[in-house]
């Protein structure tokens, strides 16, 4: 847990902002790449064996937290896409859909685990499948995010006078 928190807060959020603003100069690219890499860390968890190094697990957990923290950049991205007078609505929307989506997803994943628990020979297979489903969902999110626009279309949303 501590490695994930360190990856997320201490290094990931400022690191993600630096990469987004200074290196890639694109919020969309930073979030899309980070979500893709996060899906790969979850995919690695789906294949994890108990004989693997605990240090490697710590690195994997740290990297997952690091890449997940880039999702904070999506708030700046949505703010840039919407007119200033709609920024509050945009932030509320991203929060509602993020929380609601996660809540529905977790319950759906619980149903999959519960349904397969009676039919499976062991719990490892069920949890491996769960991580595989999560990796697929994050990867799908990255693909969908790649279709967002980078900047606000000034013809559609002109800057308003303050």
């Amino acid at each position: 847990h501590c490695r994930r928190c360190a990856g997320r807060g201490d290094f990931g959020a400022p690191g993600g902002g630096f990469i987004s603003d200074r290196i890639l100069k694109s919020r969309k690219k930073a979030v899309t790449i980070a979500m893709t890499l996060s899906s790969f860390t979850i995919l690695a968890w789906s294949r994890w064996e108990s004989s693997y190094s605990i240090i490697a697990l710590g690195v994997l957990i740290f990297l997952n937290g690091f890449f997940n923290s880039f999702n904070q950049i999506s708030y700046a991205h949505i703010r840039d896409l919407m007119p200033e007078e709609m920024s509050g609505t945009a932030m509320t929307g991203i929060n509602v859909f993020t929380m609601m989506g996660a809540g529905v997803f977790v319950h759906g994943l619980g149903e999959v685990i519960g349904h397969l628990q009676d039919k499976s020979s062991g719990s490892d297979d069920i949890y491996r499948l769960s991580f595989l489903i999560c990796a697929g969902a994050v990867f799908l999110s990255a693909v969908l995010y790649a279709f967002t626009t980078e900047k606000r279309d000034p013809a559609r949303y002109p800057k308003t006078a303050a």
Side-chain angles (χ1 to χ4, degrees), residues 64-85:
N64 182 263
F66 181 80
F67 295 131
N68 284 342
S69 69
F70 280 45
N71 289 331
Q72 298 300 318
I73 299 167
S74 65
Y75 288 92
H77 187 205
I78 191 74
R79 189 196 67 225
D80 288 347
L81 290 174
M82 301 305 291
E84 288 180 30
E85 61 272 9

Side-chain angles (χ1 to χ4, degrees), residues 5-55:
C5 290
R8 177 166 287 180
D10 295 345
F11 303 109
F18 179 82
I19 291 168
S20 168
D21 295 344
R22 306 278 185 212
I23 297 172
L24 296 175
K25 298 188 183 338
S26 167
R27 291 179 172 140
K28 175 184 165 180
K29 287 178 187 173
V31 172
T32 303
I33 291 168
M35 288 171 64
T36 301
L37 293 172
S38 176
S39 73
F40 292 151
T41 64
I42 299 168
L43 181 64
W45 280 340
S46 77
R47 310 308 320 149
W48 196 261
E49 298 287 338
S50 61
S51 62
Y52 293 170
S53 164
I54 192 74
I55 294 171

Side-chain angles (χ1 to χ4, degrees), residues 1-11 61 65:
H1 180 69
C2 291
R3 284 185 182 91
R4 183 179 171 113
C5 290
R8 177 166 287 180
D10 295 345
F11 303 109
I61 291 169

Side-chain angles (χ1 to χ4, degrees), residues 103-150:
V104 170
F105 183 81
V106 166
H107 286 287
L109 195 57
E111 287 296 318
V112 169
I113 292 170
H115 180 72
L116 294 176
Q117 199 165 18
D118 299 333
K119 299 176 182 175
S120 177
S121 59
S123 64
D124 285 354
D125 294 336
I126 297 169
Y127 288 104
R128 287 181 191 280
L129 176 63
S130 299
F131 279 110
L132 196 59
I133 291 168
C134 290
V138 173
F139 186 76
L140 177 62
S141 296
V143 169
L144 293 174
Y145 200 87
F147 287 101
T148 62
T149 55
E150 181 72 46

